[in-house]
């Protein structure tokens, strides 16, 4: 589980993606409270599973849908209920 605070505007390169030995992380749930999706560095979620759930603030489904597809993959479920 990962919680990204409401004041987060940027996530740097390899922040959650570089894992020793090439093993994928077990991260499958992300809560992002920022109204605007953070700017992403290079391969931030490189070794994150291809399926999971991203929770984001109400009214941000479109922005986070694009963000998740670009940064996490198209199989992540977007839930705009925060």
């Amino acid at each position: 589980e990962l919680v990204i605070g409401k004041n987060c505007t940027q996530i740097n390169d390899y922040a959650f993606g570089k894992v020793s030995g090439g093993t994928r992380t077990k991260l499958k749930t992300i809560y992002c409270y920022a109204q605007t999706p953070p700017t992403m560095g290079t391969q931030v979620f490189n070794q994150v599973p291809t399926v999971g759930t991203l929770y984001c603030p109400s009214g941000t489904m479109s922005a986070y849908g694009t963000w998740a597809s670009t940064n996490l993959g198209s199989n992540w479920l977007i839930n705009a209920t925060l």
Side-chain angles (χ1 to χ4, degrees):
E1 174 176 306
L2 170 66
V3 177
I4 300 171
K6 67 179 183 178
N7 295 321
C8 181
T9 59
Q10 180 176 337
I11 301 175
N12 293 328
D13 298 350
Y14 304 101
F16 308 107
K18 194 164 186 172
V19 180
S20 63
T23 304
R24 287 192 178 274
T25 67
K26 295 180 181 182
L27 179 64
K28 292 191 178 200
T29 305
I30 299 173
Y31 296 91
C32 192
Y33 290 90
Q35 286 293 323
T36 301
T39 302
M40 304 297 281
T42 302
Q43 298 184 6
V44 171
F45 295 109
N46 186 40
Q47 291 293 324
V48 170
T50 57
V51 176
T53 304
L54 169 66
Y55 294 90
C56 56
S58 298
T60 63
M61 176 74 90
S62 178
Y64 273 100
T66 301
W67 184 87
S69 180
T70 301
N71 296 292
L72 296 167
S74 59
N75 293 326
W76 275 67
L77 175 66
I78 312 304
N79 189 329
T81 58
L82 296 179

